[in-house]
Amino acid sequence: MSAETTARPKARAKKRTNDPEGMRKKVLDVAEEAFQARGYHASSMGDLMATAGVTGGALHHHFATKKALALAVIEERVAAAVEETWIAPVRRAGSAREGVRAVFAAVAAELEQQGFVRGCPLNNLAHELSLADPDFRIALADIFSAWRQAIADKIRADQQAGREQGTDPQRFAALAVATYSGAMSMAKTAQDTRVLRDCLMALEQGVTRRRRRILHKAP
Amino acid sequence: MSAETTARPKARAKKRTNDPEGMRKKVLDVAEEAFQARGYHASSMGDLMATAGVTGGALHHHFATKKALALAVIEERVAAAVEETWIAPVRRAGSAREGVRAVFAAVAAELEQQGFVRGCPLNNLAHELSLADPDFRIALADIFSAWRQAIADKIRADQQAGREQGTDPQRFAALAVATYSGAMSMAKTAQDTRVLRDCLMALEQGVTRRRRRILHKAP
DNA sequence: TCAAAAACAGGACAGTCATCCTGTTTTACA
DNA sequence: TGTAAAACAGGATGACTGTCCTGTTTTTGA
């Protein structure tokens, strides 16, 4: 804990391997992709080793067990993905509703041009792992929680600006995340993004409530 | 195809085993439960045999492969579960909105007294299997489709009775199913049903739109 | 009653799985 | 430069996995 080593832990030279971050990053990349595409149980350590071009010794050095690897994927990658595609955009948006709408539309557009739907990384892993192991479950629940928290906070910010007076922040956030997650489930199963559009339009119609049409924009 | 056997295929005597439906039913029971609780890949054939009290030969006689077993669970059990807990109640309900609300509330209440959340059977299997195999995917997508269809049909029935004029049946159905599925995902991950209640109340508030409060009930 | 088919028993099989082991190489730091 | 730790190589291992096979029992239909 205490730094008694003459107080100069400066790095002398950077690594000069071809891989700037080492093999840990490469393994995480491959594992994230595989867990997303095929799931945890369907992705074998052997497959991951082969695809990452990494030997068993190397993999085991960085991640002692498969569970440790998955936990790292969840905490480092899945959490970051939710932060990047949802939390940050909502924070930046003009309002909570506009943020939710924009993310919904952006994801739908991206999937449409991509041609196939692999589903939400958080949801995919949550379904497979949250009942299998308490550590998995808690890590995944925390991400869901932060996701809803960010949307609820945005509603509260809107309310401090005089808007959204009749909206319950927690309930709105729960509805937004649930609708997105469920719509992605169906889109993945049907391999069709139309249900995403349907949900977005139903949300806009229904949840925007009495406002018939907004002709003025926020500064 | 043609019945040329003197046209008398009458059954002579019923089975007199202790199990009225035979072992096929027992295997399906155990598999349905296991796939729901632990998932497809995490449930081994050996486990299923042991829990069902069935030998390998018997299991293989009724279901040649694990995939065949899972397909049977999906088509016979999961579809029936959706029909029983969602489609039939919605059809019986006074209106589409009331039906959706009632099912949502009933499931939430049931889970609250049950103490833990295992999630929606359809969603659980859909996430794990829909990308793994086209046969799985199509079977699961059909169930989702029938589910939404039933809700959309109910909206159309409401509309023929003069109600729900401004509601798009398909979009409303997509929103209802997506919200439920997503809420169940979160409830399962958090092992907490509060998010289900939040989603239900947000749906009631938002989607019911201009109607502030309904003081009169349908006959 | 009798043959054929279905239902079931129980183990064999080859393959895969995650993990762990002992070496060797590379890096960090004094 | 010397040394200890970290990073990596590559195979060994034993426990499962799903499937299939050969018998035996029970049921079916005429």
Side-chain angles (χ1 to χ4, degrees):
Chain A
M1 292 301 179
S2 59
E4 311 179 23
T5 56
T6 348
R8 287 225 22 223
K10 180 170 55 180
R12 184 179 298 219
K14 277 289 177 184
K15 292 181 189 176
R16 49 186 166 77
T17 63
N18 55 348
D19 202 331
E21 286 287 342
M23 291 191 157
R24 204 188 111 98
K25 177 179 159 58
K26 183 179 290 181
V27 170
L28 277 178
D29 288 344
V30 170
E32 179 187 8
E33 148 87 18
F35 290 164
Q36 161 82 336
R38 283 177 289 276
Y40 175 82
H41 287 103
S43 304
S44 78
M45 296 294 260
D47 289 346
L48 300 180
M49 282 165 45
T51 338
V54 161
T55 63
L59 205 169
H60 185 261
H61 174 72
H62 292 290
F63 307 100
T65 66
K66 191 182 182 183
K67 173 179 169 178
L69 171 57
L71 229 35
V73 167
I74 292 171
E75 287 164 355
E76 300 178 28
R77 301 303 183 92
V78 176
V82 172
E83 168 74 31
E84 186 185 345
T85 66
W86 263 98
I87 296 180
V90 163
R91 260 201 274 265
R92 278 190 234 109
S95 72
R97 284 181 202 274
E98 169 55 24
V100 169
R101 195 208 59 78
V103 173
F104 237 98
V107 170
E110 184 185 340
L111 293 180
E112 272 157 17
Q113 83 165 59
Q114 183 177 323
F116 68 98
V117 186
R118 295 203 311 191
C120 166
L122 176 58
N123 244 277
N124 290 347
L125 288 181
H127 274 92
E128 190 178 2
L129 300 179
S130 58
L131 291 190
D133 189 290
D135 296 327
F136 285 144
R137 192 184 68 74
I138 291 171
L140 293 160
D142 286 347
I143 301 178
F144 266 122
S145 189
W147 183 359
R148 276 175 301 169
Q149 184 80 237
I151 297 176
D153 285 347
K154 190 69 180 182
I155 286 280
R156 279 185 271 267
D158 290 348
Q159 288 175 340
Q160 289 200 340
R163 293 165 294 182
E164 299 291 353
Q165 291 310 132
T167 306
D168 183 297
Q170 195 175 338
R171 291 178 195 162
F172 177 86
L175 180 66
V177 174
T179 304
Y180 178 81
S181 298
M184 284 291 279
S185 298
M186 281 189 281
K188 174 184 173 182
T189 306
Q191 283 298 303
D192 190 326
T193 59
R194 278 177 296 182
V195 68
L196 259 170
R197 296 282 183 193
D198 284 342
C199 285
L200 174 54
M201 299 185 90
L203 258 187
E204 280 180 334
Q205 264 185 216
V207 174
T208 304
R209 281 190 299 172
R210 78 208 77 166
R211 272 180 228 176
R212 295 316 178 104
R213 191 169 274 261
I214 301 173
L215 295 174
H216 56 93
K217 283 203 175 183
Chain B
M1 293 298 180
S2 61
E4 311 180 24
T5 57
T6 347
R8 290 232 11 232
K10 181 169 53 180
R12 183 180 300 223
K14 277 290 176 184
K15 292 181 191 176
R16 49 185 165 78
T17 62
N18 55 348
D19 202 332
E21 286 287 342
M23 290 192 159
R24 204 188 111 98
K25 176 179 160 57
K26 185 180 289 181
V27 170
L28 277 177
D29 288 342
V30 169
E32 178 187 10
E33 148 87 20
F35 290 164
Q36 161 83 335
R38 283 177 287 277
Y40 175 81
H41 286 103
S43 304
S44 78
M45 296 293 261
D47 290 346
L48 299 180
M49 281 165 44
T51 353
V54 161
T55 62
L59 205 169
H60 184 262
H61 174 70
H62 292 288
F63 307 100
T65 67
K66 191 182 182 184
K67 173 179 169 178
L69 172 57
L71 229 36
V73 168
I74 291 171
E75 287 164 355
E76 300 179 27
R77 301 304 183 89
V78 177
V82 172
E83 168 75 28
E84 185 186 346
T85 65
W86 262 99
I87 296 181
V90 163
R91 259 200 275 263
R92 279 190 235 108
S95 72
R97 285 182 201 274
E98 170 54 25
V100 169
R101 194 208 60 78
V103 173
F104 237 97
V107 171
E110 184 185 340
L111 292 180
E112 272 157 18
Q113 84 166 59
Q114 182 177 322
F116 68 98
V117 186
R118 296 204 309 192
C120 166
L122 176 56
N123 244 277
N124 291 348
L125 288 181
H127 274 92
E128 190 177 2
L129 300 180
S130 57
L131 291 191
D133 189 290
D135 295 327
F136 285 145
R137 191 184 69 74
I138 290 171
L140 294 160
D142 286 346
I143 302 178
F144 266 122
S145 190
W147 184 358
R148 274 175 304 170
Q149 184 80 237
I151 298 177
D153 285 346
K154 190 71 181 181
I155 286 280
R156 278 184 272 266
D158 291 348
Q159 288 174 340
Q160 291 201 338
R163 292 165 294 181
E164 299 291 353
Q165 292 310 131
T167 306
D168 182 298
Q170 194 174 335
R171 291 179 195 160
F172 177 86
L175 180 66
V177 175
T179 303
Y180 178 80
S181 298
M184 284 292 280
S185 298
M186 281 190 281
K188 174 184 173 182
T189 307
Q191 283 297 304
D192 190 327
T193 59
R194 279 178 296 182
V195 67
L196 259 169
R197 296 282 185 193
D198 284 342
C199 286
L200 173 55
M201 299 185 90
L203 258 187
E204 280 180 335
Q205 263 185 216
V207 175
T208 304
R209 280 190 299 174
R210 75 209 79 166
R211 272 179 227 174
R212 294 315 177 104
R213 190 170 274 261
I214 301 173
L215 295 176
H216 55 92
K217 285 203 172 180

